[in-house]
Structure formats: structure tokens, C-alpha cells
Amino acid sequence: MTQAPARPTASRRWHDREIIALALPAFGALVAEPLFVMADSAIVGHLGTAQLAGLGVASALLTTAVSVFVFLAYATTAAVARRVGAGDLKAAIQQGMDGIWLALLLGAAVIVVVLPTAPALVELFGASPTAAPYATTYLRISALGIPAMLIVLAATGVLRGLQDTRTPLAVAVAGFVTNAALNAGLVYGAGLGIAGSAWGTVIAQCGMAAVYLTVVVRGARRHGASLRPDAAGIKASAQAGAPLLVRTLSLRAILMIATAVAARLGDADVAAHQIILSLWSLLAFALDAIAIAGQAIIGRYLGAEDADGARQACRRMVQWGIAVGVVLGLLVIVTRPVFLPLFTDDSAVTSTALPALLVVALAQPICGVVYVLDGVLMGAGDGPYLAWAMLITLAVFTPAALAVPWIGGGLTALWGAMTLMMAVRLLTLWLRSRSGRWVVTGATR
């Protein structure tokens, strides 16, 4: 790999170019993902309230199922990037193929579970009697596309590890356009209703998976990597992903607890919470893009046994995280009066959300550093530490959040607890980054 310049200024510019080149396309791909659900909602919404409610329940279940397996992208990125740094592209792509085979196996397992249990899952999520049939229909059909969704995750990790975030952006945009066109045609043109929307999503996801597989298979043939499933490699991919699964489940638990507490505070509070949570997710895309760049860059440096380069890149990305966090925080403060009316004209919801949004704004620099260090440690393959750190965070957040209805402070106090959660994450990640124990060089950790 090409070494970064020795002079501090030149080195910063070098890292800046790398970060921007990887982060900007990654941000575009991340933003494109929720557009799938938005397109489905816009089209299905004209069928009726029951259909839209059914879509909402089914989409929540699908999003949860797929997000649990996001480690397929994260673990694969780190493993592939290390081998790229070591100059072994054959092993890098072979590692990626192992991740893709794991995704296919997990996707098949999810189908086996979801198809027979779809009605029970819909009922568990509280769908009304009128919405439940539509939710079940959408869930059962869309579940057939889960293997393709997981393949997309794993293959995205392969390309990120190969330092390519532009191809995932192109595939995500093409997938969104295809999904919207298919949904409109099948829902209204073919008269399939909500089932048409589900089939359109399945077809679009399968098309995206096919494109990714074509790219990866070509790379495998070019470098002589095997396409056959390797039991040892698949097992290694699963073992690398297991700690990240714990991390993801802990984070999902935190978000569910926060929503449950908001619901206990009252209707205005839970409505304001959902608005703020949507903004929080949007802000996270910008910060997560830097984290994705961190995964790819750090993994490559460590694979090339360039510990100093990895540390320099980490420091520069932390600076980026702080800067972007400050900018995002200022934007939240400035745009509050404009942002809230886009979602509600209820003065009770607005007055509840305004002070909580200030807390969110002040937390953004903290979030910036957390996302960056999270990406750095993922790129270093430091999954076990990330799992323990998130379990500690969950243990601190849970009593703080559950105490909000008793101590008062409403939604602002709840988002104070969310900020506490991010502060705990910052502490645990900063201590690890300072220790240097994450700096383990070589093609494998």
C-alpha cells in the first residue's frame, strides 16, 4: 500500500482525501436505504389507512430482523480490509465470499422462522384487527427477500473492505429507483395491492444482490479465489460477527427502552420522541459515513502492519467526528423552528420537542467521536471489546431511563439519559483507543 506522507500537514491532507473519498459515497448509500420504506409508504398509503398501518408493522419487523445482522457488513469490511492491506487480494475476496455464504445461510434460517410465525409476530407488534391481514401478507412475501438483503449487507462489506464505497452507492440508488417503479406498477398497474408492494421490494433486493454477486464473483475469478462454501471460513466469519451481534442487540434494546419510556410519559411525549428519533437517525447517517471510512482505512493500515499510520488515521478521524458533530449540532439549533412543523402542527408536541432538541444538538460532538471510535475499533476487529462496552452502556442507561417518569423532566430528561448513554460509550471507547490494545497488525487479528 502507498504510505502516507511524513510531514504533519501533508499527512492530514492525505487522510482527509481518503476519508472524504470513502465517506461521501457511503453517506449517499446510507441515505438511500430508508428511501425504500418511504417509497413503499407513499405508494401503499393511497390504498387506505389499514394497508398503511399494516405496512408500518411489517416494515418495523423486517427492519429489526435485517438490522440485527448488520454485523455481516461490519465484520466483513474489517476482515477484507486487513487482507487488502497485507497485499493478499485473493485471501481478501475469499474472506468476503465466506461472509456472503454466511449471509445466505442466515437468510434461509430467517425465512424458515418468519413464514409460519408471521401472524403471531404481527399480533405481538400490536397490529389492529383491520391492519393485521395486510401486515401478514406483506411480511410473508417480503421475508422471501431477506436472503438477498443479507447478501447485500455482506457484499457491501466486501467492497468497503476493498476501499470501494462508490459501487454500493450506485447499486443503492439503482435499487431505490427500481423499487419505486416496480411498486407503482405492481400495486396499481397489476392491481396487486399491498402484495404488489412486497413483491416489488423482493425483486429490487434480489436485483441488488445479483449485481453485488456479479462484482464479487468477477473479482474472485480475477484473483483466483474459490467460490465454493468453506466451512472453516464461514465459521470464522460467524465467530467474528458474534460480538458485533451482541453490540447491535444491546443498542436496539436501548432504543426500545427509550421508546417504551416515552410512551409512559404521554401521547405528546411519544409523538415528539418519534420525531426526534427520526432526526437522530438522519444525523447518525452523516456520522456513520465517517465510521465506515474508518473501518476500511484502519483495517487496511493494520493489515499492512502500519501501526503508526493507523494511529494517525484514528486521530484525524476523531477530529473529523468532532467537527462534523459541532456543525450538525448548530444545524439542529438553527433549524428547530423549521424542522418541527414538517411533522406536526400540534403545539403540545412542538413545545415538548423543542427543549429535547437542544439536548440532542449539544450531544452531537459526543456522538461524532463515538461513531468514529466505534468504526475504528470495528476496523481493528476489536469486536469483543465493543460487545462488553455496549453491555456496560446498556446497564447504565436502563436505570437512568426507567427513572425518568419518577424523577420528572419529561422528554428532555429522557434525551438527557440518551446523552448519558452516548457519554458512557465515549468513555469506554476513548479508554480503549488510548490503551492502544486495539492496534494489532497483520492479515488476521
Side-chain angles (χ1 to χ4, degrees):
M1 114 184 184
T2 306
Q3 296 294 322
R7 289 182 301 167
T9 302
S11 179
R12 284 196 298 271
R13 290 174 181 171
W14 173 278
H15 290 307
D16 288 347
R17 285 195 296 269
E18 280 198 311
I19 293 167
I20 292 171
L22 290 171
L24 283 181
F27 175 71
L30 289 170
V31 171
E33 291 175 8
L35 293 179
F36 273 83
V37 177
M38 291 178 63
D40 288 1
S41 299
I43 293 170
V44 172
H46 292 286
L47 294 174
T49 301
Q51 288 90 333
L52 184 58
L55 173 65
V57 171
S59 294
L61 283 163
L62 284 168
T63 301
T64 299
V66 174
S67 65
V68 163
F69 298 111
V70 73
F71 70 84
L72 289 166
Y74 294 158
T76 304
T77 297
V80 171
R82 274 186 176 269
R83 287 160 176 79
V84 169
D88 192 348
L89 290 178
K90 177 181 177 180
I93 295 176
Q94 184 62 61
Q95 181 73 42
M97 286 303 305
D98 293 335
I100 290 172
W101 278 111
L102 176 61
L104 184 60
L105 292 173
L106 290 173
V110 173
I111 288 179
V112 170
V113 172
V114 170
L115 289 183
T117 61
L121 291 172
V122 166
E123 183 179 355
L124 181 65
F125 263 59
S128 68
T130 54
Y134 297 110
T136 302
T137 297
Y138 189 93
L139 181 59
R140 279 181 165 159
I141 296 172
S142 295
L144 299 176
I146 287 179
M149 296 179 193
L150 299 189
I151 288 172
V152 167
L153 282 177
T156 299
V158 176
L159 295 182
R160 288 173 181 171
L162 294 170
Q163 317 296 297
D164 176 10
T165 55
R166 293 185 179 182
T167 300
L169 171 60
V171 175
V173 171
F176 165 70
V177 173
T178 302
N179 178 66
L182 284 171
N183 280 5
L186 293 174
V187 170
Y188 298 113
L192 296 179
I194 195 169
S197 176
W199 280 117
T201 300
V202 170
I203 295 170
Q205 291 288 349
C206 288
M208 292 171 66
V211 172
Y212 274 119
L213 288 175
T214 299
V215 173
V216 175
V217 167
R218 284 177 180 172
R221 288 175 175 169
R222 185 163 57 249
H223 296 287
S226 174
L227 299 176
R228 295 179 180 179
D230 176 66
I234 294 172
K235 181 180 179 181
S237 294
Q239 289 174 337
L244 297 181
L245 175 61
V246 173
R247 168 199 169 275
T248 301
L249 289 174
S250 299
L251 183 57
R252 295 294 300 182
I254 286 171
L255 296 176
M256 290 175 65
I257 290 170
T259 300
V261 171
R264 293 178 62 186
L265 297 176
D267 290 345
D269 294 87
V270 74
H273 176 73
Q274 288 304 115
I275 294 172
I276 295 173
L277 199 59
S278 67
L279 175 63
W280 178 276
S281 299
L282 179 62
L283 298 173
F285 287 142
L287 299 173
D288 204 26
I290 304 174
I292 288 170
Q295 294 170 31
I297 293 170
I298 295 298
R300 194 192 73 227
Y301 273 115
L302 294 177
E305 301 194 9
D306 185 357
D308 186 58
R311 292 189 185 93
Q312 289 181 24
C314 175
R315 284 194 293 270
R316 190 56 179 163
M317 280 183 283
V318 167
Q319 292 170 358
W320 269 82
I322 295 171
V324 173
V326 169
V327 171
L328 292 177
L330 291 174
L331 284 174
V332 171
I333 293 173
V334 172
T335 60
R336 281 184 310 150
V338 178
F339 173 75
L340 287 173
L342 295 176
F343 292 86
T344 182
D345 54 5
D346 188 327
S347 59
V349 175
T350 301
S351 60
T352 301
L354 277 172
L357 276 175
L358 277 178
V359 177
V360 171
L362 294 174
Q364 288 312 298
I366 296 175
C367 295
V369 179
V370 167
Y371 274 81
V372 167
L373 292 180
D374 205 40
V376 166
L377 296 185
M378 283 185 190
D382 205 8
Y385 182 84
L386 289 173
W388 282 110
M390 190 59 76
L391 287 172
I392 292 171
T393 302
L394 175 61
V396 173
F397 170 78
T398 300
L402 294 178
V404 168
W406 305 102
I407 65 176
L411 192 66
T412 302
L414 176 60
W415 277 93
M418 289 287 285
T419 302
L420 171 65
M421 177 269 293
M422 295 303 293
V424 174
R425 291 185 69 188
L426 174 62
L427 177 61
T428 57
L429 297 175
W430 178 79
L431 288 174
R432 187 64 166 182
S433 68
R434 291 283 294 176
S435 74
R437 294 178 182 175
W438 59 277
V439 183
V440 180
T441 59
T444 58
R445 183 178 173 87

